[in-house]
């Protein structure tokens, strides 16, 4: 099973960024999203498609339908510049997308 | 505070073996499903494998690239997770993260700082 993400996404500060993740019938699976800043361990920002863990800003939101899941960052900030990975389960194994580098400029 | 601390990384020759450890604290390790995730230099995240809690069967699942070569085990008395890596290949070079979830079974919300494994002659 494969998850496909765009290699890069750009957004201006204060604008909305959308990072997509595509996979066969992905809407039938739970999708998680992770943020990884350079030199740091990943951080969970969205789980079960659209839920935010405690401590994650409200500007992060998620959706999942059909074959595409989307991570949306509303009002992007410079601190949001990072790599973002989607993740889902294929029966008993987990799969990560290739990652998308979000540039805020 | 939930903590995961990996150790055991290092330089190993192709075909060699290495065992990684992950010391845990701050949560009930006995009930936790534990996962290893790796990241090759400059590359993305790759799921390695998972071990369920003993109460849920204690079974393991592995990604295709490591199946048959890697083995995950746990010592609930020591609250420690292990990854035994055999027949190592250069493509196994990566930072290995010990992870778990205290939120649900589908995501990973706790990550260690990682330990680096380099497979090279």
């Amino acid at each position: 099973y494969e998850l496909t993400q765009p290699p890069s996404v750009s957004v201006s500060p204060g604008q909305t960024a959308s990072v997509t993740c595509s996979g066969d019938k992905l809407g039938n699976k739970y999708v998680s999203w992770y943020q990884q800043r350079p030199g740091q361990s990943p951080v969970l920002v969205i789980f079960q498609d659209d839920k935010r863990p405690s401590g994650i800003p409200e500007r992060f939101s998620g959706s999942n339908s059909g074959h595409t899941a989307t991570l949306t960052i509303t009002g992007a900030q410079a601190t949001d510049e990072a790599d973002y990975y989607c993740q889902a389960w294929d029966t008993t194994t987990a799969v990560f997308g290739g990652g998308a580098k979000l540039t805020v400029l | 505070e939930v903590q995961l601390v990996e150790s055991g990384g290092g330089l190993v020759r192709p075909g060699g073996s290495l065992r990684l450890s992950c010391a845990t604290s701050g949560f009930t390790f006995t009930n936790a499903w534990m996962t290893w995730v790796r990241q090759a230099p400059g590359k993305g995240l790759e799921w390695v494998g998972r071990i369920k809690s003993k109460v849920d069967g204690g079974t393991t699942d592995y990604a295709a690239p490591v199946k048959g070569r890697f083995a995950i085990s746990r010592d609930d008395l020591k609250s420690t997770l292990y990854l035994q890596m055999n027949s190592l290949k250069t493509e196994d070079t990566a930072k290995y993260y010990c992870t778990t979830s205290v939120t649900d079974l589908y995501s990973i919300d706790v990550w260690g700082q990682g330990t680096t494994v380099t497979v090279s002659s």
Side-chain angles (χ1 to χ4, degrees), chain A residues 4 6-7 13 19 24 30 45 51 56 80 89 91 98 102:
Chain A
T4 301
V19 182
D24 185 44
Y30 276 140
V45 295
K51 296 179 175 57
I56 299 302
D80 298 332
W89 283 87
T91 60
L102 177 68

Side-chain angles (χ1 to χ4, degrees), chain A residues 24-90:
Chain A
D24 185 44
K25 298 178 183 177
L26 186 57
N28 293 340
K29 307 176 187 295
Y30 276 140
V31 174
S32 302
W33 289 92
Y34 303 87
Q35 175 195 69
Q36 187 179 33
R37 296 189 175 104
Q40 297 185 16
S41 299
V43 172
L44 179 70
V45 295
I46 293 290
F47 69 100
Q48 291 184 18
D49 296 339
D50 57 7
K51 296 179 175 57
R52 273 181 296 105
S54 173
I56 299 302
E58 290 185 10
R59 63 179 182 274
F60 288 87
S61 63
S63 63
N64 183 20
S65 179
H67 301 288
T68 303
T70 303
L71 171 69
T72 302
I73 306 173
T74 304
Q77 300 182 4
T79 56
D80 298 332
E81 191 161 284
D83 293 325
Y84 290 86
Y85 297 89
C86 59
Q87 175 251 314
W89 283 87
D90 178 31

Side-chain angles (χ1 to χ4, degrees), chain B residues 6-7 16 28 32 37 40 58 61 63 66 70 72 77 83 93 98 109 118 120:
Chain B
E6 304 94 335
S7 61
T28 306
V37 175
D61 295 291
V66 308
F70 289 13
I72 300 173
L77 293 178
L83 178 63
T93 294
C98 170
D109 59 3
T118 303
S120 175

